[in-house]
Every structure is written in C-alpha cells, then in structure tokens.
C-alpha cells in the first residue's frame, strides 16, 4: 500500500516563512541580491544569505505574532549562546563549501513582529551582530 506522508505546515512554520519572505523583500529593496535561502546542514541553518556592496550578509530571521502592540519583542533575546554557536558554524560551513573564506561578511538578525488583529508587520534589523 502507498502512504500519503504529506505533512501540513505548522502555524510556527507558516509564521516563520512569512517573516522570511518579508525580510527577503526588504533586503532586496535595500539593494541586496538574495543568494540563498534556508541553507541547511544537520548542525544548523541560516535563513537568508544575500550580498550588498561586496559584503555577504547572513540573516537570521525571528518572527513572532502578537495580539496587540503592547509587547516588545527583542530578536537578540532569541539568539542565545547555543544559537550563536550554530550560526557561527553554519556561516563557516557556507564560506568553506563555496570557497569564500576570503570574503567580507556579517551576520544580521531580523526581528519580525506580526500583529494578529491588524495584520500590521514591523521589521527591526540588528546588523553585524557579534557571535562571541
């Protein structure tokens, strides 16, 4: 017998994908060329890899939904020590795999807040974060 293993996307995944799409569009508006999305290895993933003015940008996207505008969300709070370690390793892997170890790069975090009631979105970019 054949089995249908189609799995529906979870709300978290749908929200995350929406946030990544919004950030990719914002980066393109700012002059970035999107090189790759969801670069994945067993030890980590980077959401968006782009290039602007010869600098590679590795962007981690954190998306949350809120019911009102009262709560502030800090993306950096969600990039804890373990996550920074995985980000560092996945960036290094990408650079090695693509023979780009001599390239200038930076790691950015995009905090996306989606208001469930109004559909309004807010994107806060935290650029060139320190992974140490």
């Amino acid at each position: 017998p054949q089995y249908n293993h189609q799995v529906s996307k979870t709300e978290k995944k749908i929200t995350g994908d929406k946030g990544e799409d919004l950030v990719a569009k914002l980066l393109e508006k700012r002059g970035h060329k999107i090189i790759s999305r969801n670069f994945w290895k067993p030890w980590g993933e980077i959401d968006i890899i782009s290039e602007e003015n010869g600098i590679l940008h590795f962007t981690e996207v954190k998306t949350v939904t809120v019911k009102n505008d009262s709560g502030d969300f800090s993306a950096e709070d969600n990039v804890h020590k373990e996550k920074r370690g995985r980000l560092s390793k996945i960036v290094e892997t990408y650079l090695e795999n693509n023979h780009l170890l001599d390239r200038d790069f930076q790691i950015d975090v995009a905090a996306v807040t989606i208001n469930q009631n109004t559909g309004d979105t807010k994107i806060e970019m935290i650029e060139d974060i320190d992974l140490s």
Side-chain angles (χ1 to χ4, degrees):
Q2 287 187 327
Y3 297 97
N4 182 355
H5 289 288
Q6 185 175 2
V7 178
S8 64
K9 285 188 173 185
T10 64
E11 280 299 314
K12 187 175 179 181
K13 175 80 173 127
I14 291 167
T15 300
D17 288 350
K18 182 175 181 178
E20 287 177 23
D21 289 344
L22 291 167
V23 172
K25 286 178 185 153
L26 175 67
L27 291 173
E28 287 175 327
K29 271 189 199 170
R30 291 183 173 183
H32 288 241
K33 176 184 173 211
I34 304 297
I35 296 170
S36 180
R37 291 191 52 184
N38 305 112
F39 177 75
W40 183 89
K41 294 291 180 195
W43 52 87
E45 177 187 22
I46 190 73
D47 297 318
I48 301 171
I49 302 169
S50 63
E51 182 178 14
E52 180 206 26
N53 295 329
I55 298 173
L56 289 173
H57 291 257
F58 295 89
T59 304
E60 175 68 14
V61 180
K62 293 294 182 184
T63 307
V64 295
T65 55
V66 296
K67 292 188 184 204
N68 56 45
D69 290 328
S70 63
D72 270 345
F73 164 63
S74 171
E76 288 178 304
D77 293 343
N78 274 318
V79 184
H80 46 74
K81 187 176 180 181
E82 278 181 33
K83 181 67 175 178
R84 287 194 303 269
R86 287 195 305 271
L87 277 172
S88 183
K89 188 171 181 181
I90 197 71
V91 166
E92 185 177 313
T93 300
Y94 180 86
L95 293 171
E96 284 177 0
N97 287 357
N98 293 284
H99 311 288
L100 297 170
L101 289 171
D102 60 339
R103 290 289 301 275
D104 288 333
F105 71 91
Q106 69 183 50
I107 299 168
D108 305 324
V109 176
V112 181
T113 306
I114 302 171
N115 185 310
Q116 284 180 321
N117 296 330
T118 64
D120 291 343
T121 59
K122 181 175 104 179
I123 301 174
E124 179 187 358
M125 295 294 299
I126 300 126
E127 297 186 21
D128 204 9
I129 66 166
D130 180 7
L131 292 180
S132 56

